[in-house]
Amino acid sequence: MKTLNDFNFEDKKALIRVDFNVPLNDAFEVTDTTRIQAAKSTIIKVLEDGGSCVLMSHLGRPKGVEEKFSLKHIVAEVTKVLGVQVKFIEDCVGEKAEEAVANLASGEVLLLENLRFYEEEKKGDVAFAEKLAKLGDVYVNDAFGTAHRAHASTTIIAQFFSENKCFGNLLAREIESIDKVLNNSEKPVLAVLGGAKVSSKITVIENILDKVDHLIIGGGMTFTFVKAQGGTVGDSICEDDKMDLALEILKQAKAKNVQIHLPVDVIAADDFSNDANTQVIDVTKIPDGWQGLDAGPKSRENFDAVVNKCKTILWNGPLGVFEMESFSEGTIALGHSIDNATKNGTFSLVGGGDSVAAVKQFGFAEKVSYVSTGGGAMLEMLEGKALPGIEAILK
Ligand code: AMP
Protein backbone atom coordinates (compact mmCIF):
# COMPACT_ATOMS: atom_id res chain seq x y z
CA MET A 1 0.00 0.00 0.00
CA LYS A 2 1.67 3.21 -1.15
CA THR A 3 1.34 6.11 1.25
CA LEU A 4 2.64 9.67 1.50
CA ASN A 5 5.78 8.45 3.27
CA ASP A 6 6.88 6.69 0.09
CA PHE A 7 7.34 10.09 -1.54
CA ASN A 8 9.48 13.16 -1.05
CA PHE A 9 7.44 16.06 -2.40
CA GLU A 10 10.30 18.55 -2.69
CA ASP A 11 9.57 20.75 -5.73
CA LYS A 12 6.67 18.45 -6.58
CA LYS A 13 3.05 19.38 -7.06
CA ALA A 14 0.73 17.04 -5.22
CA LEU A 15 -2.73 16.82 -6.75
CA ILE A 16 -4.82 15.85 -3.75
CA ARG A 17 -8.44 14.64 -3.90
CA VAL A 18 -9.84 15.79 -0.59
CA ASP A 19 -13.37 15.60 0.76
CA PHE A 20 -14.27 19.21 1.49
CA ASN A 21 -17.98 18.51 1.11
CA VAL A 22 -18.65 20.51 4.27
CA PRO A 23 -21.94 21.91 5.57
CA LEU A 24 -22.54 25.65 4.97
CA ASN A 25 -25.10 27.91 6.63
CA ASP A 26 -27.22 30.54 4.84
CA ALA A 27 -24.33 33.03 5.01
CA PHE A 28 -22.12 30.40 3.28
CA GLU A 29 -20.04 29.88 6.39
CA VAL A 30 -18.63 26.45 7.19
CA THR A 31 -20.51 25.05 10.19
CA ASP A 32 -18.42 21.90 10.72
CA THR A 33 -14.71 21.83 9.86
CA THR A 34 -14.15 18.13 10.64
CA ARG A 35 -13.45 17.20 7.02
CA ILE A 36 -11.00 20.06 6.54
CA GLN A 37 -9.19 19.14 9.76
CA ALA A 38 -9.08 15.55 8.57
CA ALA A 39 -7.12 16.49 5.43
CA LYS A 40 -4.64 18.72 7.25
CA SER A 41 -1.91 16.19 8.01
CA THR A 42 -1.64 15.14 4.36
CA ILE A 43 -1.39 18.73 3.14
CA ILE A 44 1.16 19.70 5.80
CA LYS A 45 3.37 16.69 4.99
CA VAL A 46 3.59 17.79 1.34
CA LEU A 47 4.35 21.40 2.31
CA GLU A 48 6.97 20.37 4.87
CA ASP A 49 8.73 18.30 2.21
CA GLY A 50 9.00 21.49 0.14
CA GLY A 51 6.20 20.71 -2.28
CA SER A 52 2.96 22.45 -3.19
CA CYS A 53 -0.66 21.26 -3.02
CA VAL A 54 -3.42 21.42 -5.59
CA LEU A 55 -6.64 20.50 -3.80
CA MET A 56 -9.69 19.18 -5.60
CA SER A 57 -13.07 18.39 -4.09
CA HIS A 58 -16.77 18.38 -4.70
CA LEU A 59 -19.31 20.34 -2.66
CA GLY A 60 -22.97 19.40 -2.57
CA ARG A 61 -24.97 18.28 -5.57
CA PRO A 62 -24.87 21.14 -8.07
CA LYS A 63 -26.63 20.90 -11.41
CA GLY A 64 -23.99 22.50 -13.58
CA VAL A 65 -22.35 25.68 -12.31
CA GLU A 66 -24.25 26.94 -9.26
CA GLU A 67 -22.70 29.80 -7.32
CA LYS A 68 -24.01 28.54 -4.00
CA PHE A 69 -21.93 25.39 -4.37
CA SER A 70 -18.72 27.27 -5.19
CA LEU A 71 -15.71 26.19 -3.16
CA LYS A 72 -14.72 29.85 -2.94
CA HIS A 73 -16.99 29.98 0.13
CA ILE A 74 -14.66 27.76 2.09
CA VAL A 75 -11.28 29.33 1.20
CA ALA A 76 -11.12 31.42 4.39
CA GLU A 77 -11.93 28.44 6.57
CA VAL A 78 -9.38 26.17 4.87
CA THR A 79 -6.80 28.94 5.27
CA LYS A 80 -7.62 29.15 8.97
CA VAL A 81 -7.43 25.41 9.56
CA LEU A 82 -4.19 24.94 7.63
CA GLY A 83 -2.53 28.13 8.84
CA VAL A 84 -1.46 28.74 5.23
CA GLN A 85 -3.05 31.27 2.85
CA VAL A 86 -4.99 29.20 0.33
CA LYS A 87 -5.27 30.39 -3.27
CA PHE A 88 -8.41 29.72 -5.27
CA ILE A 89 -9.04 29.33 -8.99
CA GLU A 90 -12.57 29.44 -10.39
CA ASP A 91 -12.24 26.33 -12.55
CA CYS A 92 -10.94 22.83 -12.00
CA VAL A 93 -9.65 22.04 -15.50
CA GLY A 94 -8.46 23.94 -18.57
CA GLU A 95 -6.20 26.90 -19.23
CA LYS A 96 -6.98 28.96 -16.13
CA ALA A 97 -6.44 26.06 -13.78
CA GLU A 98 -3.27 24.99 -15.57
CA GLU A 99 -1.86 28.50 -15.39
CA ALA A 100 -2.62 28.77 -11.67
CA VAL A 101 -0.87 25.46 -11.08
CA ALA A 102 2.14 26.53 -13.15
CA ASN A 103 2.46 29.67 -11.00
CA LEU A 104 2.26 27.73 -7.75
CA ALA A 105 5.49 27.90 -5.73
CA SER A 106 6.73 25.40 -3.15
CA GLY A 107 4.89 25.82 0.13
CA GLU A 108 1.74 27.11 -1.55
CA VAL A 109 -1.76 25.64 -1.61
CA LEU A 110 -4.27 26.05 -4.45
CA LEU A 111 -7.93 25.05 -4.19
CA LEU A 112 -9.72 24.24 -7.46
CA GLU A 113 -13.37 25.00 -8.09
CA ASN A 114 -16.05 22.36 -7.42
CA LEU A 115 -15.40 19.24 -9.51
CA ARG A 116 -19.12 18.59 -9.86
CA PHE A 117 -19.62 21.78 -11.86
CA TYR A 118 -18.72 19.35 -14.65
CA GLU A 119 -21.06 16.41 -15.14
CA GLU A 120 -18.03 14.49 -16.42
CA GLU A 121 -16.82 14.14 -12.83
CA LYS A 122 -19.59 11.82 -11.66
CA LYS A 123 -19.70 10.05 -15.01
CA GLY A 124 -16.07 9.05 -14.55
CA ASP A 125 -15.22 10.62 -17.91
CA VAL A 126 -11.73 9.62 -19.03
CA ALA A 127 -10.97 12.80 -21.02
CA PHE A 128 -11.99 14.95 -18.05
CA ALA A 129 -9.83 12.85 -15.71
CA GLU A 130 -6.90 13.32 -18.10
CA LYS A 131 -7.37 17.09 -17.93
CA LEU A 132 -7.38 16.96 -14.14
CA ALA A 133 -4.26 14.81 -14.22
CA LYS A 134 -2.33 17.64 -15.87
CA LEU A 135 -2.55 19.59 -12.61
CA GLY A 136 -0.04 17.65 -10.53
CA ASP A 137 3.07 15.44 -10.49
CA VAL A 138 1.80 13.02 -7.87
CA TYR A 139 -1.85 12.02 -7.33
CA VAL A 140 -2.90 11.63 -3.72
CA ASN A 141 -6.33 10.29 -2.81
CA ASP A 142 -7.37 11.36 0.67
CA ALA A 143 -11.14 11.33 0.22
CA PHE A 144 -12.59 8.28 1.94
CA GLY A 145 -16.15 9.64 1.70
CA THR A 146 -16.11 9.19 -2.08
CA ALA A 147 -13.80 6.16 -2.33
CA HIS A 148 -16.79 3.95 -3.22
CA ARG A 149 -17.52 6.02 -6.32
CA ALA A 150 -15.77 5.51 -9.65
CA HIS A 151 -15.70 9.23 -10.38
CA ALA A 152 -13.12 10.98 -12.53
CA SER A 153 -11.20 12.54 -9.63
CA THR A 154 -11.47 9.59 -7.24
CA THR A 155 -10.71 6.65 -9.51
CA ILE A 156 -10.33 7.23 -13.26
CA ILE A 157 -7.58 9.82 -12.82
CA ALA A 158 -5.23 7.31 -11.15
CA GLN A 159 -4.41 5.62 -14.47
CA PHE A 160 -2.55 8.75 -15.60
CA PHE A 161 0.00 8.57 -12.79
CA SER A 162 1.40 5.02 -13.15
CA GLU A 163 3.77 4.87 -10.15
CA ASN A 164 3.19 8.40 -8.89
CA LYS A 165 0.06 7.86 -6.85
CA CYS A 166 -0.64 7.10 -3.23
CA PHE A 167 -3.10 7.24 -0.34
CA GLY A 168 -3.18 10.32 1.85
CA ASN A 169 -2.88 9.94 5.62
CA LEU A 170 -6.63 10.01 6.22
CA LEU A 171 -7.50 7.37 3.64
CA ALA A 172 -4.60 5.19 4.77
CA ARG A 173 -5.86 5.35 8.36
CA GLU A 174 -9.39 4.49 7.30
CA ILE A 175 -8.16 1.43 5.42
CA GLU A 176 -5.92 0.34 8.30
CA SER A 177 -8.70 0.76 10.87
CA ILE A 178 -11.22 -1.29 8.94
CA ASP A 179 -8.57 -3.89 8.21
CA LYS A 180 -7.83 -4.06 11.92
CA VAL A 181 -11.45 -4.98 12.55
CA LEU A 182 -12.15 -7.25 9.60
CA ASN A 183 -8.87 -9.03 8.96
CA ASN A 184 -6.26 -8.43 11.63
CA SER A 185 -8.35 -8.27 14.74
CA GLU A 186 -7.53 -9.28 18.25
CA LYS A 187 -10.24 -11.67 19.50
CA PRO A 188 -12.94 -11.72 20.71
CA VAL A 189 -14.39 -9.42 18.05
CA LEU A 190 -17.73 -7.67 18.51
CA ALA A 191 -19.87 -5.85 15.99
CA VAL A 192 -22.72 -3.68 17.22
CA LEU A 193 -25.23 -3.04 14.48
CA GLY A 194 -28.07 -0.68 15.18
CA GLY A 195 -30.07 1.79 13.14
CA ALA A 196 -33.49 1.62 11.63
CA LYS A 197 -33.79 -1.25 9.19
CA VAL A 198 -32.57 -4.77 8.59
CA SER A 199 -32.86 -4.23 4.85
CA SER A 200 -30.17 -1.53 4.79
CA LYS A 201 -27.71 -3.60 6.84
CA ILE A 202 -28.33 -7.10 5.54
CA THR A 203 -25.20 -7.38 3.38
CA VAL A 204 -23.11 -6.01 6.24
CA ILE A 205 -24.54 -8.58 8.64
CA GLU A 206 -23.91 -11.44 6.23
CA ASN A 207 -20.31 -10.41 5.60
CA ILE A 208 -19.56 -9.67 9.22
CA LEU A 209 -20.72 -13.09 10.48
CA ASP A 210 -17.48 -14.52 9.14
CA LYS A 211 -15.41 -11.98 11.06
CA VAL A 212 -16.89 -11.63 14.53
CA ASP A 213 -17.44 -13.68 17.68
CA HIS A 214 -20.28 -11.54 19.02
CA LEU A 215 -22.95 -9.52 17.28
CA ILE A 216 -25.19 -7.08 19.11
CA ILE A 217 -28.27 -6.23 17.09
CA GLY A 218 -30.08 -3.15 18.33
CA GLY A 219 -32.18 -0.21 17.21
CA GLY A 220 -35.19 -0.65 14.96
CA MET A 221 -33.74 -3.87 13.50
CA THR A 222 -34.43 -5.60 16.79
CA PHE A 223 -38.14 -5.99 16.17
CA THR A 224 -37.89 -7.90 12.90
CA PHE A 225 -35.76 -10.46 14.75
CA VAL A 226 -38.08 -10.53 17.78
CA LYS A 227 -41.26 -10.94 15.75
CA ALA A 228 -39.66 -13.59 13.55
CA GLN A 229 -39.02 -15.62 16.70
CA GLY A 230 -42.62 -15.33 17.84
CA GLY A 231 -42.48 -12.19 19.99
CA THR A 232 -45.07 -9.43 20.01
CA VAL A 233 -43.67 -6.07 18.92
CA GLY A 234 -46.76 -3.81 19.01
CA ASP A 235 -46.32 -0.77 16.79
CA SER A 236 -42.52 -1.01 16.68
CA ILE A 237 -40.78 -0.58 13.35
CA CYS A 238 -40.71 -4.03 11.76
CA GLU A 239 -40.07 -5.39 8.28
CA ASP A 240 -42.39 -8.35 8.00
CA ASP A 241 -40.95 -9.30 4.62
CA LYS A 242 -37.50 -9.63 6.21
CA MET A 243 -38.51 -12.05 8.95
CA ASP A 244 -37.36 -15.14 7.06
CA LEU A 245 -34.08 -13.42 6.45
CA ALA A 246 -33.76 -12.66 10.16
CA LEU A 247 -34.28 -16.33 10.99
CA GLU A 248 -31.74 -17.30 8.35
CA ILE A 249 -29.22 -14.90 9.90
CA LEU A 250 -29.79 -16.45 13.34
CA LYS A 251 -29.24 -19.90 11.82
CA GLN A 252 -26.08 -18.84 10.03
CA ALA A 253 -24.76 -17.23 13.21
CA LYS A 254 -25.25 -20.46 15.11
CA ALA A 255 -23.46 -22.44 12.42
CA LYS A 256 -20.59 -19.96 12.48
CA ASN A 257 -20.40 -19.90 16.24
CA VAL A 258 -21.29 -16.23 16.45
CA GLN A 259 -23.21 -15.23 19.56
CA ILE A 260 -26.08 -12.89 18.78
CA HIS A 261 -27.24 -10.51 21.48
CA LEU A 262 -30.61 -8.79 21.12
CA PRO A 263 -32.17 -6.37 23.59
CA VAL A 264 -34.22 -8.18 26.25
CA ASP A 265 -36.13 -5.08 27.33
CA VAL A 266 -36.98 -1.80 25.64
CA ILE A 267 -38.19 1.69 26.39
CA ALA A 268 -41.59 1.58 24.73
CA ALA A 269 -43.53 4.74 23.91
CA ASP A 270 -47.18 5.36 23.05
CA ASP A 271 -46.14 7.82 20.33
CA PHE A 272 -43.07 8.52 18.15
CA SER A 273 -42.37 11.66 20.14
CA ASN A 274 -39.99 12.88 22.82
CA ASP A 275 -42.95 13.70 25.06
CA ALA A 276 -44.69 10.34 24.70
CA ASN A 277 -45.62 8.23 27.71
CA THR A 278 -43.02 5.52 28.19
CA GLN A 279 -42.58 2.21 29.97
CA VAL A 280 -39.80 -0.33 30.30
CA ILE A 281 -41.07 -3.59 28.90
CA ASP A 282 -40.00 -7.08 27.85
CA VAL A 283 -38.96 -6.88 24.18
CA THR A 284 -41.15 -9.86 23.29
CA LYS A 285 -44.31 -8.48 24.91
CA ILE A 286 -44.90 -5.02 23.47
CA PRO A 287 -48.65 -4.31 23.35
CA ASP A 288 -50.45 -2.66 20.45
CA GLY A 289 -50.30 1.10 20.64
CA TRP A 290 -46.71 0.97 21.95
CA GLN A 291 -43.41 1.00 20.07
CA GLY A 292 -39.90 0.15 21.24
CA LEU A 293 -37.68 3.18 20.74
CA ASP A 294 -34.61 2.43 22.86
CA ALA A 295 -32.73 -0.38 24.59
CA GLY A 296 -33.92 -0.90 28.18
CA PRO A 297 -31.78 -1.00 31.35
CA LYS A 298 -31.32 -4.79 31.45
CA SER A 299 -30.24 -4.77 27.78
CA ARG A 300 -27.71 -2.02 28.47
CA GLU A 301 -26.26 -4.10 31.28
CA ASN A 302 -26.05 -7.19 29.07
CA PHE A 303 -24.41 -5.23 26.26
CA ASP A 304 -21.91 -3.73 28.71
CA ALA A 305 -20.84 -7.24 29.74
CA VAL A 306 -20.35 -8.27 26.10
CA VAL A 307 -18.40 -5.11 25.28
CA ASN A 308 -16.18 -5.69 28.29
CA LYS A 309 -15.01 -9.09 27.18
CA CYS A 310 -14.15 -8.09 23.60
CA LYS A 311 -10.80 -6.82 22.31
CA THR A 312 -12.01 -5.43 18.99
CA ILE A 313 -15.27 -3.54 18.51
CA LEU A 314 -17.02 -2.19 15.47
CA TRP A 315 -20.03 0.04 16.08
CA ASN A 316 -22.43 0.98 13.35
CA GLY A 317 -25.85 2.41 14.07
CA PRO A 318 -27.53 3.79 17.21
CA LEU A 319 -29.41 1.56 19.67
CA GLY A 320 -32.43 3.82 19.76
CA VAL A 321 -33.97 6.98 18.40
CA PHE A 322 -31.04 8.95 19.85
CA GLU A 323 -32.19 12.19 18.19
CA MET A 324 -34.89 12.38 20.89
CA GLU A 325 -33.55 12.78 24.41
CA SER A 326 -36.07 10.36 25.88
CA PHE A 327 -34.70 7.56 23.70
CA SER A 328 -30.98 8.34 23.72
CA GLU A 329 -29.97 6.55 26.93
CA GLY A 330 -29.32 3.16 25.34
CA THR A 331 -26.96 4.67 22.77
CA ILE A 332 -25.23 6.78 25.44
CA ALA A 333 -24.81 3.75 27.71
CA LEU A 334 -23.21 1.80 24.87
CA GLY A 335 -20.89 4.77 24.25
CA HIS A 336 -19.80 4.64 27.90
CA SER A 337 -19.23 0.89 27.71
CA ILE A 338 -17.10 1.22 24.59
CA ASP A 339 -15.25 4.19 26.10
CA ASN A 340 -14.31 2.06 29.14
CA ALA A 341 -13.28 -0.89 27.02
CA THR A 342 -11.13 1.39 24.86
CA LYS A 343 -9.40 2.73 27.97
CA ASN A 344 -8.59 -0.89 28.83
CA GLY A 345 -6.90 -1.49 25.48
CA THR A 346 -9.74 -2.59 23.20
CA PHE A 347 -9.64 -1.29 19.63
CA SER A 348 -12.93 0.46 18.81
CA LEU A 349 -14.04 1.71 15.43
CA VAL A 350 -17.20 3.72 14.90
CA GLY A 351 -18.54 4.42 11.46
CA GLY A 352 -21.22 4.35 8.86
CA GLY A 353 -24.30 6.52 8.73
CA ASP A 354 -25.78 7.92 11.89
CA SER A 355 -23.45 6.42 14.47
CA VAL A 356 -20.87 9.11 13.78
CA ALA A 357 -23.46 11.81 14.47
CA ALA A 358 -24.40 10.01 17.68
CA VAL A 359 -20.86 9.63 19.03
CA LYS A 360 -20.13 13.26 18.23
CA GLN A 361 -23.33 14.47 19.85
CA PHE A 362 -22.64 12.58 23.07
CA GLY A 363 -18.93 13.37 23.27
CA PHE A 364 -17.52 9.91 22.50
CA ALA A 365 -15.71 10.83 19.28
CA GLU A 366 -12.41 11.43 21.11
CA LYS A 367 -12.86 8.39 23.33
CA VAL A 368 -13.06 5.60 20.78
CA SER A 369 -9.99 4.45 18.83
CA TYR A 370 -11.19 5.69 15.47
CA VAL A 371 -14.22 7.43 13.99
CA SER A 372 -14.59 6.81 10.27
CA THR A 373 -15.24 9.79 8.00
CA GLY A 374 -17.11 7.98 5.25
CA GLY A 375 -20.62 6.63 5.81
CA GLY A 376 -21.41 4.91 2.54
CA ALA A 377 -17.78 4.00 1.84
CA MET A 378 -17.41 2.40 5.24
CA LEU A 379 -20.61 0.38 4.82
CA GLU A 380 -19.42 -0.91 1.46
CA MET A 381 -16.12 -2.01 2.99
CA LEU A 382 -18.01 -3.76 5.76
CA GLU A 383 -20.08 -5.47 3.08
CA GLY A 384 -16.81 -6.87 1.77
CA LYS A 385 -16.81 -4.84 -1.44
CA ALA A 386 -13.64 -3.54 -3.09
CA LEU A 387 -13.86 0.24 -3.37
CA PRO A 388 -12.90 1.64 -6.80
CA GLY A 389 -11.04 4.61 -5.31
CA ILE A 390 -8.84 2.29 -3.28
CA GLU A 391 -8.34 -0.28 -6.05
CA ALA A 392 -7.22 2.45 -8.45
CA ILE A 393 -4.29 3.36 -6.20
CA LEU A 394 -3.36 -0.27 -5.53
CA LYS A 395 -3.32 -1.13 -9.26
P1 AMP B 1 -29.03 4.04 10.26
O1 AMP B 1 -28.82 5.23 9.39
O2 AMP B 1 -29.46 2.81 9.55
O3 AMP B 1 -27.85 3.80 11.19
O4 AMP B 1 -30.31 4.37 11.17
C1 AMP B 1 -30.28 5.36 12.12
C2 AMP B 1 -31.66 5.74 12.52
O5 AMP B 1 -32.30 4.66 13.15
C3 AMP B 1 -31.67 6.87 13.51
O6 AMP B 1 -32.24 7.98 12.90
C4 AMP B 1 -32.53 6.35 14.64
O7 AMP B 1 -33.47 7.31 15.10
C5 AMP B 1 -33.24 5.17 14.03
N1 AMP B 1 -33.66 4.20 15.04
C6 AMP B 1 -32.91 3.61 15.98
N2 AMP B 1 -33.65 2.81 16.76
C7 AMP B 1 -34.92 2.89 16.33
C8 AMP B 1 -36.17 2.32 16.75
N3 AMP B 1 -36.22 1.48 17.79
N4 AMP B 1 -37.28 2.67 16.08
C9 AMP B 1 -37.21 3.51 15.04
N5 AMP B 1 -36.08 4.08 14.58
C10 AMP B 1 -34.93 3.79 15.23
Side-chain angles (χ1 to χ4, degrees):
M1 188 167 111
K2 253 192 185 175
T3 65
L4 285 180
N5 292 332
D6 294 310
F7 291 87
N8 182 338
F9 288 90
E10 191 175 359
D11 295 327
K12 293 240 163 35
K13 289 178 171 127
L15 177 59
I16 311 177
R17 177 53 159 103
V18 288
D19 180 2
F20 284 173
N21 184 28
V22 290
L24 302 177
N25 62 18
D26 291 344
F28 298 108
E29 290 156 346
V30 179
T31 55
D32 181 352
T33 60
T34 309
R35 286 180 169 162
I36 303 174
Q37 302 275 4
K40 184 172 174 176
S41 95
T42 291
I43 295 165
I44 298 298
K45 145 77 181 162
V46 172
L47 299 181
E48 281 181 355
D49 272 3
S52 56
C53 296
V54 180
L55 307 179
M56 50 180 177
S57 179
H58 75 281
L59 175 66
R61 294 180 173 172
K63 293 185 177 63
V65 179
E66 280 189 81
E67 156 93 22
K68 64 177 175 183
F69 292 113
S70 171
L71 279 165
K72 73 180 180 195
H73 301 305
I74 75 162
V75 173
E77 201 59 49
V78 181
T79 297
K80 202 160 114 193
V81 171
L82 297 180
V84 177
Q85 180 60 52
V86 173
K87 296 180 164 185
F88 177 74
I89 183 74
E90 58 275 7
D91 207 343
C92 62
V93 286
E95 251 174 56
K96 267 191 193 165
E98 285 170 30
E99 199 183 310
V101 170
N103 291 331
L104 202 63
S106 292
E108 289 188 325
V109 178
L110 173 72
L111 177 63
L112 304 174
E113 183 55 288
N114 195 340
L115 292 158
R116 291 195 188 165
F117 282 0
Y118 289 86
E119 61 177 16
E120 289 91 335
E121 162 65 359
K122 281 175 84 170
K123 285 187 174 154
D125 185 85
V126 178
F128 179 69
E130 192 171 12
K131 283 187 203 161
L132 287 172
K134 286 187 186 166
L135 305 177
D137 306 309
V138 180
Y139 170 64
V140 181
N141 190 352
D142 211 18
F144 183 58
T146 46
H148 57 317
R149 309 271 184 232
H151 294 170
S153 71
T154 62
T155 302
I156 312 303
I157 189 172
Q159 65 191 273
F160 299 105
F161 288 88
S162 65
E163 294 301 308
N164 289 329
K165 58 189 173 189
C166 67
F167 296 110
N169 288 338
L170 171 70
L171 188 42
R173 243 192 116 189
E174 293 277 359
I175 297 169
E176 280 161 15
S177 300
I178 296 178
D179 185 63
K180 221 168 164 173
V181 169
L182 294 185
N183 305 314
N184 288 302
S185 46
E186 196 182 332
K187 285 180 167 282
V189 185
L190 161 69
V192 184
L193 296 180
K197 289 181 169 179
V198 179
S199 48
S200 63
K201 301 277 163 86
I202 184 63
T203 329
V204 174
I205 300 179
E206 284 172 343
N207 186 47
I208 220 118
L209 283 180
D210 288 321
K211 318 276 183 184
V212 303
D213 307 292
H214 295 272
L215 175 61
I216 290 177
I217 295 177
M221 279 197 287
T222 305
F223 307 102
T224 306
F225 283 86
V226 170
K227 190 170 175 187
Q229 295 179 94
T232 308
V233 299
D235 295 350
S236 307
I237 184 172
C238 183
E239 292 166 278
D240 286 350
D241 60 332
K242 293 292 176 297
M243 290 201 297
D244 286 345
L245 201 59
L247 291 177
E248 178 57 31
I249 288 169
L250 295 174
K251 207 167 108 192
Q252 275 184 33
K254 207 165 187 184
K256 292 178 177 176
N257 235 342
V258 178
Q259 282 190 50
I260 300 234
H261 310 269
L262 283 156
V264 290
D265 58 354
V266 286
I267 309 293
D270 62 357
D271 188 19
F272 190 80
S273 140
N274 196 39
D275 305 321
N277 296 308
T278 61
Q279 59 172 322
V280 176
I281 194 165
D282 183 323
V283 72
T284 62
K285 297 189 177 103
I286 306 172
D288 284 347
W290 293 79
Q291 48 189 309
L293 294 182
D294 197 9
K298 183 66 191 142
S299 310
R300 295 174 207 164
E301 222 175 89
N302 293 351
F303 294 163
D304 183 64
V306 179
V307 165
N308 270 320
K309 62 181 169 203
C310 291
K311 298 308 289 174
T312 304
I313 298 174
L314 163 77
W315 179 14
N316 171 283
L319 292 190
V321 184
F322 73 98
E323 298 93 336
M324 297 183 205
E325 202 185 340
S326 305
F327 311 107
S328 60
E329 289 300 321
T331 301
I332 294 175
L334 179 72
H336 281 300
S337 301
I338 295 181
D339 175 12
N340 286 332
T342 309
K343 284 197 183 105
N344 291 326
T346 291
F347 179 79
S348 54
L349 167 64
V350 180
D354 270 343
S355 11
V356 174
V359 292
K360 277 190 186 167
Q361 186 177 327
F362 302 126
F364 294 116
E366 275 77 43
K367 295 181 171 160
V368 297
S369 309
Y370 193 70
V371 179
S372 175
T373 57
M378 160 108 173
L379 279 181
E380 290 202 13
M381 280 189 93
L382 296 178
E383 287 172 358
K385 290 185 187 151
L387 307 195
I390 293 175
E391 295 300 298
I393 298 281
L394 295 176
K395 237 183 236 166

